[in-house]
Amino acid sequence: MTRVAMTVNGKAVTGEVEGRTLLSSFLREDLHLTGTHVGCDTSQCGACVVHVNGQAVKACTMFAAEAEGADVTTIEGMANADGSLGTIQQAFQDFHGLQCGFCTPGMVMSAAALLKENPTPTEAEVRAYLEGNICRCTGYHNIVKAILAASGQSVPAVAAE
Amino acid sequence: MPDGGIGASSKRREDLRFLTGRGKYTDDINLQGQAHAHFVRSDVAHGRINSIDTSAASSMPGVIRIFTATDFEGVGGIPCGWQVTDRFGEVMQEPKHPILAEGKVRHVGDPICVVVADTLEQARDAADALVINITPLEAVLDMKAALAEGATKVHDDLNSNLCYDWGFVEENREAVAEAINNAHHVTTLELRNNRLVANPMEPRVAVGDYDFSTDEHTLYTTSQNPHVIRLLMGAFVLGIPEHKLRVVAPDVGGGFGAKIYHYAEEAFCTFAAKTIGRPVKWTSTRSEAFISDAHGRDHVTKIELALDENGKFLALRTDTHANMGAYLSTFAPSIPTWLHGTLMAGNYTTPLIYVNVKAVFTNTVPVDAYRGAGRPEATFQLERVVDKAAREMGIDPVELRRRNFITEFPYATPVAVEYDTGDYHATMDKLLQISDHAGFEGRAALSKANGKLRGFGIAHYIEACGIAPSNLVGQLGARAGLYESATVRVNATGSISVMTGSHSHGQGHETSFAQVVADMIGVDENQIDIVHGDTSKTPMGMGTYGSRSIAVGGSAMVRATEKIINKAKKIAAHLMEAAEGDIELKDGQFSVAGTDKSVAWGDVTLAAYVPHNYPLEDIEPGLEETAFYDPANFTYPSGAYGCEVEVDPATGKVTVVAFSAADDFGNIINPMIVEGQVHGGLAQGIGQAMIENCAYDDQGQLLSGSYMDYAMPRADDLPMFTVDHSSITPCTHNPLGVKGCGEAGAIGSPPALVNAVVDALQRAGHNVTHIDMPLSPDRVWAAMNS
Amino acid sequence: MHNFEFVKPSSVADAVSALAGEGAQALGGGQTLLPTMKQRLAAPEKLVSLSGLAEMTGVSSAGGVMTIGGATTHASVAADAGAYPGLAGLAAHIGDPAVRNRGTIGGSLANNDPSACYPAAALGSGATIVTNTREIAADDFFQGLFSTALDEGEIITAVKFPIPQASNYQKFVQPASRFALVGVFVARYADGVRVAVTGASEEGVHRWSAAEAALSANFSAAALDGLSVAADGMIADLHGTAAYRAHLVKVMTGRAVAAAS
């Protein structure tokens, strides 16, 4: 067992891990941050995306020991300080960018990374950036709209009432 | 009237937990002292198990117990929920489906034994120390070869690999043959509906628990229908009565059919928890899901359409081989039969139809319902053969469809169902408008200038949803009823809990169901809580599949709410000293007609629970009602879909540049949610048609056993969709006039896409009449260069 | 996966000595190795993490040669290799954004997946693979599927790419893995054109010498007109026949030439 220490969502945390303990397992099982999901074992679905030192990574494809000393942000760290939804989260709700919710944490984390790199992406750039995030429910239509809306760009509203 | 209610695009309340990482999925549940199960699965498609030596593995660190088939002697097999009777009046062949393989393994992934250990990694480490001796046998894979005389049998104790040979409508067999023989024109098409893997993003999970003090079992599972699991597992597998078995399906990360069925892992974890005296958890990996979740589709079909000289359809005949896989999954036998044959009329007046289906056992993962289930297979072959006929006869594909549309309702098809309502010209008109069909030639010219081939494909579909009238499905072989239930519990302060047997795993019931009750009573929808997914909290329900939740579950909720309103009016009448018949309910206020007397909803609910001034001799205290709703008929959503593609002639790569869907779902509760359902269905249908393919090699090894080889549609594979649901012919037999929208997108889109690619290639002068799905670049390129 | 000892050295020298033991293996970004270990197809006893070693990280250019540290991520190359646009463009489309933030050039080259992108860039550039002990020409480095000239415990510390006059990489993606079904890297140098093909051959990454000759004489897609690629030896799988891959090699080469900048 190895002792690891890192900052997760602004809080210093420590834990005892095996070499083989994945960052996703450490977050889910040791820290009980179960918002980070594991949807595949080939590093493709992206449900586990978190930020490590500000960069989007797949928490299922990184050992916990590799995050020693790192600053980690998960979906649980994305709401505003008062607990209200952050801009991207709110756009996902407003534009119905989620259905079953399983891929959603990874989608939000990838969207946040995209908008940091590229504050006003085109539709094509959003779609390209989501190459590593698979959603089976939404057909991506409303995810793409939500991300464009979160970037401050004008997109058509959801279905007229 | 408060905001919201029926017809509003209310934002989803469930999103708050999903967007903040607070959803509670089954894998998020960890019980005190839980052990972990690792399933050791066959790596050969077919083989005889000679021996299993667990001695070395048993002494590995953390190992609690290793289970094999011998531990399940006296335990039932996994049951099949539907018995099909063949065209000779004989019931289907039904093999035993053991929890762990007995004597033989029958597909790659067939579970052989289970290691239970303190940690999952310990269980996996120990599994490596198992010594399992298996003699491989010839793998039965090709369905037609499987039916040949002397073929190797998947199940030694069955007569053959034929599950059933089903004819429908058998009495029409000769008449259809005669009509085809004498027709002016017959269009024939042979095609394969490719095998798919449902791939909800959340892999399956089961956690079993047992309380020795009460003899109560609890199973937490990723299910679309926890009551069905309780019934099947309790009554048929483990012999646990309902009152000692609780099944909880908490937040479930998508289903698409694959989470309907009762699986061995659920029974195992429930069983093992009692055996070892600790909770037992199993979490599927994605690779494991590919070899243990039921697959979908996998039909091989020949279809013949007979037409007269004006293009009127005279007769239709289809001959299908349907792959069952190695065992019969819960609803498997019904998919190629009653959910497929009954839809072969489509939207058309074809007077004579005969459907023959041979269901075949093979050494592959069991096949069952996947989004659409039988109806996509019916729609695909029908809409492909209609398109091919149009091209052969030189009639515009839209016009040929219009000439044959059913226009008078109710309409009794020659395949046993009666469409209550629809307007197919309206949906076709709407499609042509929203897809700018008229502007296609201009866009095609632009594509050509860019070196691309553009095509437009149309499909019109019908489906049977709102599954299903129990007495009807009982006659057809279902071993269950298909009603739905709801309990509406009004609390003293007027808030409302609705306990529904429907299960939400992405559909947004917690929002849309609340909208319905809010609308009926006239209270804010935030006063209403929707409870689902726990057999200890909700009345017996049949769950969510077949686009049935709002049509059947919603109707049960309406009936229960009507009972609530009736009783509340009695209480209001008493409070206002008026006649019950004079009480009106509007916007949450009860008033006496023609007066200014009124009491609020909260006054009445409080009186029901604090019955100080209350007619106890006439009315019971409390305000809680339950209703079970059994539909009178299926519902029949329909729609017109248009797909526009560009083909790169140098590589064969198909790009979907536009996709439009004009649906008639009857009345709509939440348009935002409905559109989301269509988007998701379209993505799955486009995925099937373009990239998804579950394939085995000639040894029965799964070639597409992970996301490295099974292509899931990604954001950059798809365009923005244009969807419309303004063509509304309300269902005539349920109280909301709703039809259901969950599967439509996956049903109508594959033929539209294939029709579009064929259109693109034919416009470019290629004599291509069909390409089997998925239309991968290499297949399209090969078709262009053959 | 099997358990192992995790070692994080602070220098290349420490890494080399940590790798000297039996059963030790280098860990780059882990984007291929971790999934392999999850399947229990690899079971190192010790993993020596190379990521974050400053002396193996970064992109620099001097004298017409771009040097990239072995532990440099794909994202860093995409961002920092602007002086070699063909290479930066290739790096920008490996995997997906999260994979690019972890995966490294050294890890990719050492793995030599027959469908990976970087081997095409290294071979197509005539790059030099620099290790802790020696320098290896790309033409000698790649030795068939998942096989390289690296010895046990040898670490790729850097890769030196001669910067061409023009270059481009065209990837035709396999729809599931998003690896190259066929990828072609074309680089035009003063002394000739190099064409490297990945994804297509059962022998792994390789050069297409006939195209190199034709393009060296006439650097235009039309120069390929008379050429054909034999289907023999091409990979045939669920996603494409050998004949299709052979066809794509030519199409992608033509597109790379047309797009080269």
Side-chain angles (χ1 to χ4, degrees):
Chain A
M1 299 293 269
T2 313
R3 187 168 181 77
V4 292
M6 63 189 85
T7 303
V8 178
N9 299 330
K11 277 195 276 194
V13 300
T14 58
E16 295 282 327
V17 298
E18 290 187 316
R20 63 184 167 183
T21 304
L22 299 169
L23 178 59
S24 54
S25 307
F26 181 67
L27 293 169
R28 288 181 53 79
E29 289 154 28
D30 293 55
L31 304 183
H32 308 294
L33 294 171
T34 55
T36 298
H37 295 154
V38 177
C40 78
D41 46 10
T42 50
S43 310
Q44 280 157 313
C45 82
C48 67
V49 168
V50 300
H51 295 182
V52 173
N53 296 330
Q55 291 190 315
V57 304
K58 293 184 168 173
C60 80
T61 313
M62 179 170 178
F63 295 114
E66 290 183 280
E68 169 69 27
D71 188 358
V72 178
T73 306
T74 72
I75 187 67
E76 287 90 347
M78 294 298 283
N80 296 324
D82 65 357
S84 60
L85 296 180
T87 305
I88 295 169
Q89 292 167 314
Q90 188 62 57
F92 269 68
Q93 185 187 32
D94 291 346
F95 289 86
H96 191 29
L98 67 155
Q99 291 182 26
C100 82
F102 195 81
C103 77
T104 306
M107 285 288 177
V108 170
M109 299 312 289
S110 281
L114 165 64
L115 296 185
K116 201 169 82 170
E117 285 176 30
N118 182 356
T120 51
T122 63
E123 180 198 329
E125 287 169 343
V126 173
R127 290 183 182 276
Y129 199 88
L130 296 180
E131 185 170 8
N133 291 83
I134 302 176
C135 171
R136 192 57 152 168
C137 293
T138 64
Y140 304 97
H141 182 105
N142 286 338
I143 292 176
V144 174
K145 277 174 67 172
I147 295 172
L148 291 172
S151 75
Q153 302 183 72
S154 166
V155 292
V158 295
E161 295 179 13
Chain B
M1 177 68 207
D3 290 344
I6 291 173
S9 284
S10 298
K11 290 180 193 173
R12 299 198 330 165
R13 53 180 67 184
E14 43 272 81
D15 292 356
L16 294 175
R17 65 179 189 275
F18 295 146
L19 281 163
T20 54
R22 292 187 180 86
K24 191 160 197 174
Y25 299 87
T26 310
D27 193 46
D28 302 338
I29 294 170
N30 291 299
L31 302 179
Q32 187 77 30
Q34 89 189 353
H36 295 265
H38 172 67
F39 281 71
V40 178
R41 300 176 183 278
S42 178
D43 57 8
V44 298
H46 194 192
R48 195 165 304 287
I49 302 171
N50 302 316
S51 63
I52 302 170
D53 181 353
T54 61
S55 53
S58 296
S59 58
M60 296 276 287
V63 173
I64 298 164
R65 183 158 170 174
I66 297 172
F67 292 82
T68 64
T70 57
D71 292 296
F72 292 90
E73 286 167 3
V75 168
I78 304 295
C80 178
W82 204 297
Q83 184 177 58
V84 164
T85 300
D86 74 8
R87 66 192 190 89
F88 309 105
E90 300 291 322
V91 297
M92 67 187 190
Q93 293 204 86
E94 188 171 358
K96 184 179 180 188
H97 185 180
I99 291 174
L100 297 177
E102 293 174 355
K104 270 175 80 170
V105 288
R106 295 186 177 85
H107 65 85
V108 170
D110 208 358
I112 301 167
C113 47
V114 188
V115 182
V116 178
D118 289 332
T119 72
L120 180 58
E121 294 294 358
Q122 286 172 335
R124 292 200 62 178
D125 288 344
D128 289 347
L130 288 166
V131 182
I132 301 172
N133 184 293
I134 292 178
T135 302
L137 302 170
E138 183 191 20
V140 179
L141 298 164
D142 179 81
M143 288 192 276
K144 288 174 184 168
L147 297 182
E149 197 73 35
T152 297
K153 287 195 287 187
V154 176
H155 295 276
D156 300 341
D157 53 341
L158 299 187
N159 297 326
S160 67
N161 293 316
L162 180 69
C163 179
Y164 54 73
D165 178 355
W166 185 76
F168 184 67
V169 173
E170 190 61 23
E171 293 72 32
N172 288 346
R173 188 181 173 94
E174 294 309 320
V176 168
E178 192 178 325
I180 288 174
N181 289 340
N182 298 328
H184 167 78
H185 184 88
V186 178
T187 295
T188 303
L189 184 59
E190 295 189 35
L191 52 87
R192 169 181 285 275
N193 202 290
N194 43 325
R195 181 183 276 240
L196 302 174
V197 183
N199 272 305
M201 291 319 297
E202 177 203 30
R204 288 190 296 118
V205 183
V207 187
D209 192 19
Y210 178 70
D211 184 335
F212 283 88
S213 66
T214 59
D215 191 32
E216 287 173 353
H217 300 260
T218 302
L219 170 69
Y220 301 89
T221 183
T222 47
S223 176
Q224 302 175 217
N225 30 243
H227 283 94
V228 173
I229 303 306
R230 186 181 68 168
L231 178 66
L232 292 175
M233 185 176 78
F236 296 97
V237 185
L238 300 179
I240 306 170
E242 285 94 328
H243 70 296
K244 294 295 183 190
L245 177 57
R246 176 185 172 206
V247 178
V248 184
D251 286 329
V252 172
F256 314 114
K259 292 175 181 169
I260 298 172
Y261 325 116
H262 176 42
Y263 287 98
E265 296 86 358
E266 295 171 317
F268 175 82
C269 289
T270 306
F271 176 88
K274 181 176 181 181
T275 308
I276 70 163
R278 289 169 60 175
V280 175
K281 182 175 187 175
W282 168 76
T283 299
S284 176
T285 64
R286 180 60 59 185
S287 299
E288 200 173 10
F290 274 100
I291 55 173
S292 67
D293 289 8
H295 293 175
R297 315 281 194 261
D298 205 352
H299 286 193
V300 175
T301 294
K302 177 182 177 185
I303 182 168
E304 299 158 283
L305 175 65
L307 305 94
D308 73 10
E309 59 275 21
N310 298 314
K312 279 296 275 185
F313 302 163
L314 302 173
L316 182 77
R317 178 166 64 193
T318 80
D319 179 359
T320 288
H321 286 71
N323 204 331
M324 294 285 103
Y327 305 100
L328 292 177
S329 177
T330 307
F331 285 133
S334 69
I335 310 307
T337 52
W338 301 109
L339 290 176
H340 165 254
T342 52
L343 274 300
M344 284 312 309
N347 306 90
Y348 311 113
T349 55
T350 317
L352 282 167
I353 297 175
Y354 180 70
V355 179
N356 183 230
V357 178
K358 295 179 183 71
V360 185
F361 294 111
T362 61
N363 290 119
T364 62
V365 171
V367 180
D368 206 326
Y370 166 61
R371 199 171 196 167
R375 292 151 288 173
E377 295 91 321
T379 303
F380 182 72
Q381 52 184 293
L382 184 59
E383 290 301 296
R384 282 290 300 122
V385 82
V386 167
D387 222 68
K388 186 165 184 249
R391 292 171 189 282
E392 287 175 356
M393 295 185 73
I395 303 172
D396 178 79
V398 173
E399 170 60 20
L400 182 64
R401 287 176 170 87
R402 287 192 189 275
R403 283 184 199 174
N404 289 281
F405 273 162
I406 295 161
T407 54
E408 293 183 12
F409 297 88
Y411 177 81
T413 73
V415 276
V417 290
E418 184 176 283
Y419 304 160
D420 59 339
T421 180
D423 185 346
Y424 309 142
H425 285 292
T427 40
M428 184 66 94
D429 290 343
K430 179 57 74 173
L431 172 74
L432 298 179
Q433 178 205 331
I434 64 175
S435 64
D436 185 21
H437 186 251
F440 173 76
E441 293 298 342
R443 297 189 295 275
L446 280 175
S447 294
K448 192 172 180 184
N450 290 325
K452 298 284 169 58
L453 318 177
R454 202 173 186 106
F456 192 99
I458 277 188
H460 209 289
Y461 76 89
I462 184 136
E463 56 167 331
C465 296
I467 291 172
S470 293
N471 54 12
L472 173 61
V473 296
Q475 291 168 29
L476 305 182
R479 290 162 166 163
L482 287 170
Y483 52 84
E484 197 47 86
S485 66
T487 294
V488 177
R489 176 180 298 159
V490 182
N491 302 308
T493 61
S495 68
I496 301 167
S497 295
V498 179
M499 278 63 78
T500 170
S502 296
H503 187 278
S504 185
H505 35 277
Q507 296 87 345
H509 296 167
E510 293 170 33
T511 302
S512 56
F513 278 26
Q515 288 178 250
V516 173
V517 176
D519 200 275
M520 291 179 70
I521 297 175
V523 296
D524 191 287
E525 59 194 57
N526 292 318
Q527 271 184 264
I528 300 162
D529 190 26
I530 304 297
V531 179
H532 65 97
D534 185 340
T535 60
S536 73
K537 293 181 180 169
T538 64
M540 175 72 184
M542 295 308 293
T544 289
Y545 40 83
S547 304
R548 69 191 301 272
S549 291
I550 197 66
V552 190
S555 295
M557 191 174 61
V558 168
R559 292 286 185 248
T561 306
E562 286 169 351
K563 291 186 192 179
I564 291 285
I565 291 171
N566 286 339
K567 182 172 177 181
K569 282 183 174 176
K570 288 193 174 98
I571 300 170
H574 171 80
L575 293 177
M576 292 186 284
E577 297 176 332
E580 184 190 329
D582 291 337
I583 304 297
E584 294 172 346
L585 171 61
K586 188 164 184 290
D587 294 349
Q589 289 283 121
F590 295 92
S591 58
V592 181
T595 76
D596 58 0
K597 281 204 278 190
S598 72
V599 288
W601 169 251
D603 298 329
V604 172
T605 63
L606 188 66
Y609 287 95
V610 187
H612 294 162
N613 169 22
Y614 195 90
L616 288 166
E617 62 282 5
D618 297 327
I619 320 174
E620 292 174 13
L623 200 50
E624 174 166 330
E625 300 287 351
T626 295
F628 283 72
Y629 180 84
D630 206 292
N633 190 357
F634 295 92
T635 63
Y636 298 96
S638 61
Y641 284 14
C643 179
E644 203 160 316
V645 298
E646 272 191 346
V647 179
D648 177 352
T651 64
K653 183 173 171 55
V654 175
T655 302
V656 177
V657 291
F659 203 106
S660 304
D663 290 296
D664 174 0
F665 293 134
N667 293 333
I668 303 285
I669 308 301
N670 183 318
M672 176 191 82
I673 289 176
V674 165
E675 291 191 0
Q677 290 292 306
V678 176
H679 297 155
L682 291 177
Q684 291 182 356
I686 292 169
Q688 167 168 28
M690 282 225 309
I691 56 177
E692 293 184 44
N693 193 25
C694 178
Y696 285 91
D697 72 7
D698 59 7
Q699 302 297 306
Q701 293 293 331
L702 188 57
L703 293 171
S704 45
S706 79
Y707 289 156
M708 294 298 282
D709 286 297
Y710 189 91
M712 293 284 281
R714 320 248 184 137
D716 60 1
D717 289 318
L718 299 165
M720 284 292 186
F721 304 117
T722 304
V723 302
D724 178 276
H725 46 76
S726 65
S727 303
I728 294 174
T729 59
C731 172
T732 60
H733 58 79
N734 64 41
L736 292 167
V738 293
K739 296 182 177 179
C741 65
E743 297 162 292
I747 293 171
S749 52
L753 192 149
V754 178
N755 289 344
V757 173
V758 169
D759 183 57
L761 299 187
Q762 290 197 359
R763 283 168 176 274
H766 295 285
N767 181 27
V768 174
T769 57
H770 180 71
I771 305 172
D772 265 332
M773 300 187 291
L775 271 57
S776 55
D778 65 321
R779 290 187 184 185
V780 175
W781 177 78
M784 283 191 291
N785 291 283
S786 62
Chain C
M1 64 181 72
H2 294 281
N3 203 10
F4 57 86
E5 181 192 356
F6 179 83
V7 178
K8 191 167 174 59
S10 51
S11 68
V12 172
D14 287 352
V16 169
S17 49
L19 281 166
E22 188 83 1
Q25 188 170 343
L27 172 66
Q31 302 302 289
T32 300
L33 182 58
L34 265 74
T36 309
M37 289 173 67
K38 287 180 193 176
Q39 304 293 330
R40 298 198 164 217
L41 298 174
E45 291 168 24
K46 182 198 284 187
L47 274 189
V48 180
S49 172
L50 304 179
S51 59
L53 286 178
E55 55 192 304
M56 279 177 54
T57 305
V59 178
S60 62
S61 300
V65 174
M66 177 172 284
T67 302
I68 300 177
T72 309
T73 63
H74 311 327
S76 295
V77 175
D80 300 336
Y84 190 168
L87 182 62
L90 173 146
H93 292 94
I94 298 173
D96 58 60
V99 166
R100 293 195 285 274
N101 283 333
R102 294 290 304 162
T104 65
I105 187 170
S108 175
L109 293 175
N111 189 48
N112 192 20
D113 186 300
S115 301
C117 297
Y118 262 134
L123 190 61
S125 305
T128 300
I129 316 300
V130 183
T131 77
N132 55 304
T133 57
R134 57 182 168 148
E135 298 199 345
I136 309 169
D139 284 317
D140 302 324
F141 181 82
F142 301 105
Q143 301 189 346
L145 310 188
F146 300 104
S147 179
T148 70
L150 290 175
D151 293 328
E152 285 290 316
E154 190 173 6
I155 297 171
I156 298 175
T157 54
V159 188
K160 292 196 236 177
F161 291 90
I163 299 174
Q165 297 164 341
S167 65
N168 186 259
Y169 177 63
Q170 290 287 318
K171 174 162 67 167
F172 194 86
V173 298
Q174 193 259 53
S177 68
R178 300 290 182 114
F179 275 67
L181 187 73
V182 168
V184 179
F185 194 94
V186 172
R188 182 185 194 185
Y189 291 91
D191 59 350
V193 174
R194 289 175 73 102
V195 177
V197 178
T198 187
S201 168
E202 292 175 338
E203 302 299 319
V205 67
H206 65 279
R207 290 170 66 182
W208 183 15
S209 48
E212 290 182 348
L215 292 169
S216 295
N218 172 18
F219 193 70
S220 77
L224 303 169
D225 282 350
L227 304 184
S228 67
V229 180
D232 291 348
M234 290 287 164
I235 297 170
D237 63 12
L238 190 58
H239 307 288
T241 60
Y244 182 63
R245 278 187 167 83
H247 168 73
L248 278 186
V249 168
K250 182 170 169 179
V251 174
M252 292 298 118
T253 305
R255 289 182 180 180
V257 170
S261 58

